[in-house]
Amino acid sequence: MYTTTNARHDKGCRQANLDVLRLLSMLGVVVNHFYNSALLIYSPGAEGFCMDVGGACGATAWFLLEAIKLLALVSVNCFVLISGYFLIENQCFRGRAIWNVWSQTLFYSMGVWIVLAMAGVVPFRLVDAARYFLPVCNNTYWFITNYLALMLVAPFVSTLAGCLDKRSYRYLLMVGAVLVLQYPFGRLLVDSQQFLLFVYLYIVGGYLRLYPPRITSRMSTALAAVVLAAMLAIAVAKNVMAGDGCFRIISMEYNGLVLPLSVFVFMLFCHWSVPACLRRPVAWLSPLALSVYLLHEHPLVSGIMWGKVRDVVASHQEWQLPADVLAGSILIFLACVLVDGVRHAVARRLPWTRRVIPR
């Protein structure tokens, strides 16, 4: 059953607007990986991504690419905000939810390796079997490692939040901001695994659930636009100061300006009412979102897939790159959803697979 954000939040209910945000967040993750692995925006030297913005066409293409990248950066943060929003009132250990995430991760980690090994694409080695059998311990998927850790501590964080009144909760948010935001201390305390940031995002999401701020949809949109404009201005300034006449795609840290942008985007979706015609497909797609990450980010899949994508992108003109990023990311997203849709159909129809194939 779906409810609007203005209605009472009953336990177990789903919200179509946040399901849409969850799906868009996972699409944004694919977009981020497209930039990283297909456009190679982080590669140094001559192989690094660089655009000539001397003409209107090149400048427009760079601007669109930069804007898309900055918007996609909110994806991971929004995914965690959603978890905090829904789980902050639950102080029980969520063993079933943890098992669902872990079993699905194990299924795809081992499943992809087994299929490719049987097809002769990769060699069959016991060391690889051990690696893909323990994907969390080996940090095969950094997000899953941190997300499962967050789910383990979530009951304690929720218990702490339940002991605080609104004023104390605000103090907790302010202290957390000092520790987590990139400046002054976040650059020292938030490492590449982002676990501390995940905990803080969980607390922020919980606050927005328990004490919804009196900010309208228009205000959320305006605030998000201001932060995004500031991020674009920083990207332009950094490229201009580089002084080499070539513009690169500037990424930013999740605990920098991406953090407030994520919160404002989340609040914007909290106000959005999903059309009735979209609720059923959204309800069907939402449980499949995690598979998109597990499939396309599998080391064996990404190694093969992004090489093919790079070859396609290299044959295109610079003005085509924004369309390449969006179209390519959507196709990858849909392909992963299709695979997981088949998995769900098998798990539902064959009773003997229910204990083997996570649903």
Side-chain angles (χ1 to χ4, degrees):
M1 179 179 179
Y2 291 96
T3 63
T4 64
T5 52
N6 294 325
R8 186 174 68 89
H9 300 288
D10 296 320
K11 290 185 178 180
C13 70
R14 298 185 66 92
Q15 290 183 229
N17 50 351
L18 296 184
D19 277 343
V20 171
L21 179 58
R22 181 182 290 107
L23 291 169
L24 290 177
S25 294
M26 196 53 70
L27 176 60
V29 169
V30 180
V31 170
N32 274 318
H33 294 159
F34 197 109
Y35 279 85
N36 302 347
S37 302
L39 299 186
L40 301 175
I41 65 170
Y42 294 118
S43 296
E47 296 181 357
F49 180 84
C50 189
M51 291 186 68
D52 180 9
V53 295
C57 189
T60 301
W62 175 86
F63 180 85
L64 291 174
L65 283 172
E66 183 65 39
I68 293 170
K69 174 61 176 175
L70 294 177
L71 284 172
L73 286 174
V74 308
S75 301
V76 171
N77 287 359
C78 284
F79 208 92
V80 182
L81 283 169
I82 293 171
S83 298
Y85 185 83
F86 282 117
L87 300 181
I88 196 64
E89 294 178 315
N90 190 328
Q91 300 176 5
C92 300
F93 181 74
R94 294 176 59 83
R96 183 184 180 93
I98 293 173
W99 165 249
N100 286 339
V101 174
W102 160 250
S103 60
Q104 191 173 344
T105 302
L106 177 62
F107 177 82
Y108 280 115
S109 179
M110 283 294 292
V112 169
W113 173 74
I114 290 173
V115 169
L116 293 181
M118 292 178 64
V121 178
V122 297
F124 187 91
R125 300 184 303 178
L126 291 179
V127 64
D128 291 331
R131 174 188 178 189
Y132 294 116
F133 184 73
L134 299 170
V136 174
C137 297
N138 293 311
N139 205 29
T140 302
Y141 302 103
W142 77 265
F143 174 80
I144 297 298
T145 301
N146 286 271
Y147 190 70
L148 284 174
L150 174 65
M151 295 182 73
L152 288 172
V153 303
F156 306 103
V157 178
S158 298
T159 300
L160 171 63
C163 297
L164 302 177
D165 57 22
K166 185 176 181 180
R167 184 177 181 181
S168 298
Y169 206 138
R170 285 181 175 176
Y171 284 142
L172 176 62
L173 290 179
M174 288 188 289
V175 172
V178 172
L179 298 177
V180 168
L181 284 173
Q182 189 175 9
Y183 296 99
F185 298 118
R187 69 190 188 281
L188 304 174
L189 299 176
V190 178
D191 60 15
S192 60
Q193 297 306 307
Q194 309 291 334
F195 176 68
L196 181 58
L197 176 61
F198 276 26
V199 174
Y200 183 69
L201 288 167
Y202 184 94
I203 294 171
V204 174
Y207 181 86
L208 295 175
R209 174 68 175 266
L210 298 174
Y211 308 105
R214 296 180 180 179
I215 297 180
T216 64
S217 176
R218 290 184 178 180
M219 292 174 64
S220 299
T221 304
L223 290 169
V226 169
V227 176
L228 180 60
M231 295 167 73
L232 285 167
I234 292 172
V236 171
K238 285 185 176 181
N239 277 295
V240 170
M241 287 188 295
D244 55 6
C246 186
F247 272 38
R248 295 171 174 80
I249 300 300
I250 304 298
S251 186
M252 298 185 183
E253 300 293 335
Y254 289 153
N255 61 333
L257 287 176
V258 177
L259 199 158
L261 179 62
S262 304
V263 174
F264 296 140
V265 169
F266 177 83
M267 293 171 63
L268 175 61
F269 273 86
C270 284
H271 289 288
W272 182 47
S273 179
V274 179
C277 62
L278 295 180
R279 292 185 176 183
R280 180 167 293 183
V282 166
W284 181 81
L285 286 170
S286 184
L288 310 180
L290 185 62
S291 67
V292 176
Y293 175 75
L294 297 174
L295 272 169
H296 92 276
E297 190 60 6
H298 191 288
L300 298 178
V301 174
S302 62
I304 298 171
M305 178 184 68
W306 292 122
K308 302 292 185 183
V309 174
R310 281 195 297 271
D311 292 339
V312 173
V313 171
S315 65
H316 291 178
Q317 301 294 322
E318 286 188 342
W319 62 268
Q320 296 176 291
L321 292 181
D324 285 345
V325 169
L326 294 177
S329 299
I330 291 172
L331 286 175
I332 293 170
F333 178 90
L334 293 176
C336 295
V337 165
L338 178 62
V339 171
D340 202 52
V342 173
R343 179 184 69 85
H344 270 245
V346 171
R348 285 196 301 267
R349 296 186 180 185
L350 299 178
W352 61 272
T353 64
R354 292 178 183 175
R355 294 182 180 180
V356 181
I357 302 178
R359 298 181 62 182

mmCIF file of all heavy atoms in Angstrom, residues 3 71 95 111 142 164:
data_model
loop_
_atom_site.group_PDB
_atom_site.id
_atom_site.type_symbol
_atom_site.label_atom_id
_atom_site.label_comp_id
_atom_site.label_asym_id
_atom_site.label_seq_id
_atom_site.Cartn_x
_atom_site.Cartn_y
_atom_site.Cartn_z
ATOM 1 N N THR A 3 1.400 5.411 0.441
ATOM 2 C CA THR A 3 0.872 6.578 1.136
ATOM 3 C C THR A 3 1.591 7.804 0.644
ATOM 4 O O THR A 3 2.687 7.735 0.116
ATOM 5 C CB THR A 3 1.079 6.461 2.664
ATOM 6 O OG1 THR A 3 2.467 6.421 2.915
ATOM 7 C CG2 THR A 3 0.418 5.210 3.204
ATOM 8 N N LEU A 71 24.690 15.676 -10.602
ATOM 9 C CA LEU A 71 23.398 15.166 -10.146
ATOM 10 C C LEU A 71 23.486 13.681 -9.798
ATOM 11 O O LEU A 71 22.864 13.214 -8.840
ATOM 12 C CB LEU A 71 22.333 15.396 -11.216
ATOM 13 C CG LEU A 71 21.817 16.831 -11.354
ATOM 14 C CD1 LEU A 71 20.913 16.962 -12.569
ATOM 15 C CD2 LEU A 71 21.068 17.253 -10.093
ATOM 16 N N GLY A 95 17.430 -9.081 10.978
ATOM 17 C CA GLY A 95 18.180 -10.219 10.457
ATOM 18 C C GLY A 95 17.713 -10.650 9.076
ATOM 19 O O GLY A 95 18.535 -10.992 8.216
ATOM 20 N N GLY A 111 27.393 -16.510 -8.782
ATOM 21 C CA GLY A 111 26.686 -16.906 -9.997
ATOM 22 C C GLY A 111 27.356 -16.414 -11.265
ATOM 23 O O GLY A 111 27.523 -17.164 -12.237
ATOM 24 N N TRP A 142 32.103 -2.347 -2.538
ATOM 25 C CA TRP A 142 32.348 -1.479 -1.388
ATOM 26 C C TRP A 142 31.041 -0.971 -0.781
ATOM 27 O O TRP A 142 30.921 -0.854 0.446
ATOM 28 C CB TRP A 142 33.247 -0.305 -1.764
ATOM 29 C CG TRP A 142 32.565 0.801 -2.536
ATOM 30 C CD1 TRP A 142 32.522 0.957 -3.880
ATOM 31 C CD2 TRP A 142 31.827 1.905 -1.982
ATOM 32 N NE1 TRP A 142 31.798 2.079 -4.210
ATOM 33 C CE2 TRP A 142 31.360 2.678 -3.063
ATOM 34 C CE3 TRP A 142 31.519 2.303 -0.680
ATOM 35 C CZ2 TRP A 142 30.602 3.833 -2.897
ATOM 36 C CZ3 TRP A 142 30.759 3.457 -0.506
ATOM 37 C CH2 TRP A 142 30.307 4.209 -1.605
ATOM 38 N N LEU A 164 16.184 10.833 22.098
ATOM 39 C CA LEU A 164 16.442 12.261 21.953
ATOM 40 C C LEU A 164 15.161 13.026 21.643
ATOM 41 O O LEU A 164 14.319 12.547 20.873
ATOM 42 C CB LEU A 164 17.454 12.504 20.823
ATOM 43 C CG LEU A 164 18.820 11.825 20.956
ATOM 44 C CD1 LEU A 164 19.666 12.107 19.715
ATOM 45 C CD2 LEU A 164 19.550 12.326 22.204
#
